[in-house]
Amino acid sequence: MNTVPETHQITPSRIMETATAFFASKALLSAVKLGVFTALSGKSLSGKEIQKVLNLHDRGVYDFLDALVALGFLNREGLLETARYTNAPETEVFLDRNKPSYIGGFVEMANDRLYPFWGSLEEALLTGQPQNEIKHTGKSVFEELYAKPERLKQFMDAMSGISIGNFMALSRKFDFSPYSTLCDIGGAAAVLSVEVARQNPNMSCTSADLPAVEPIAKEYIAAKGMNGRISTVNIDFFKDEFPKADVITMGMILHDWDLANKKMLIRKAYNALPEGGAFIAIEALIDDDRRKNAFGLLMSLNMLIEFGVAFDFTGADFEKWTKEAGFRRVEVIPLAGPSSAAIAYK
């Protein structure tokens, strides 16, 4: 017999909160894009002062700023014309463009690229086709990015912003003491290599990526004072074998590809490692029961939107694929937030 729950026991509040979550998302994305948190760095400003600095229209100023207060991204004393606004602790640290801890590169990319593409999620679910640049230009996301230096730099900054917490956690949580060399495949700006080398004096690191990325990596390595510890190498991981190293890492690389290419990259990692070597994939691993890591599952939908055939995966998936390639043992180490390091030992 079907029963209808009594209405006083349930409410539609969570449905409505999620249905309109893009309101809050776009408010934050816009605040970063406009430079709200950078303008407020280390100071308090009135609404009118913020309006003048950012060239905002009268109509939305207080609704916008007070929405950021309600969401916890700004603090405020006073009300309306008497109000003084300051950054919340998190936005002061992570969303001021002038601080090395800035993670807004990813937020800016989410605003400029991902936000409009997610508007076509229904089409992606119905067709299985990507909904990004390729839909309009016929060129893949990587073709578009690598053809435009400013977009490539934004993408590299975005990947650095979303990943640096994971790389810092990996450099502390994984035992690098048995090893001396690391090669980061798809190393982008060399952020992983820098963090591992900084925390582990025994490690010599190489960041491997396409030629267009090398100047960005070299600039970052030099800025961090790591020229003697980290080298760069040009590699096309579809065409080339990986450089030999004790540890092979991939940060947010495997999820970009279909199963055949995932297995190809895993096989190349296996071939590059000595006996006892470690292959480390840093991803927003979906929990094996596919119930808890909503971010990992949503990221897999983002891979559908970006690439069609690409997808995120579970630790159990990783174990199956790596053992097929010959790896003997697998472990998973939680990192920052919803991300983990999946580690396969040869």
Side-chain angles (χ1 to χ4, degrees), residues 151-337:
R151 292 298 291 271
L152 179 61
K153 181 65 163 61
Q154 184 191 50
F155 182 75
M156 293 294 113
D157 289 345
M159 292 303 97
S160 299
I162 197 173
S163 298
I164 190 167
N166 293 322
F167 298 160
M168 292 172 68
L170 175 73
S171 68
R172 295 191 302 267
K173 291 186 175 186
F174 181 74
D175 182 9
F176 284 97
S177 63
Y179 309 107
S180 59
T181 57
L182 177 149
C183 184
D184 186 27
I185 304 298
V191 177
L192 185 151
S193 294
V194 165
E195 293 305 320
V196 170
R198 181 155 45 195
Q199 292 289 332
N200 300 274
N202 57 303
M203 295 299 296
S204 174
C205 300
T206 300
S207 187
D209 214 318
L210 292 166
V213 179
E214 190 172 38
I216 299 172
K218 284 184 175 295
E219 180 183 354
Y220 187 82
I221 292 165
K224 299 300 180 182
M226 288 285 182
N227 277 334
R229 299 280 310 283
I230 301 166
S231 59
T232 60
V233 64
N234 294 330
I235 186 175
D236 181 335
F237 55 55
F238 284 107
K239 298 176 182 177
D240 305 322
E241 292 300 315
F242 297 169
K244 303 289 186 182
D246 299 333
V247 179
I248 298 290
T249 55
M250 293 182 192
M252 305 289 282
I253 298 294
L254 283 182
H255 78 155
D256 285 344
W257 310 104
D258 62 10
L259 181 57
N261 281 311
K262 283 176 168 63
K263 290 185 175 183
M264 176 273 292
L265 293 170
I266 290 168
R267 169 58 65 179
K268 286 189 175 184
Y270 182 87
N271 292 341
L273 291 167
E275 289 295 322
F279 169 47
I280 304 175
I282 297 153
E283 300 277 359
L285 283 185
I286 300 168
D287 57 292
D288 288 349
D289 200 35
R290 297 175 61 86
R291 289 179 181 273
K292 297 176 182 175
N293 191 353
F295 181 84
L297 291 161
L298 291 169
M299 182 60 77
S300 197
L301 286 176
N302 191 62
M303 291 301 100
L304 164 62
I305 286 169
E306 289 279 35
F307 303 109
V309 295
F311 61 95
D312 284 67
F313 50 91
T314 67
D317 293 328
F318 181 82
E319 181 171 16
K320 177 184 176 183
W321 303 332
T322 52
K323 286 189 172 177
E324 283 178 4
F327 287 94
R328 59 184 174 83
R329 181 172 69 87
V330 170
E331 69 172 328
V332 172
I333 298 176
L335 298 176

Side-chain angles (χ1 to χ4, degrees), residues 36 64 76 100 116 120 184 262 301:
V36 171
F64 179 46
R76 188 194 73 206
S120 299
D184 186 27
K262 283 176 168 63
L301 286 176

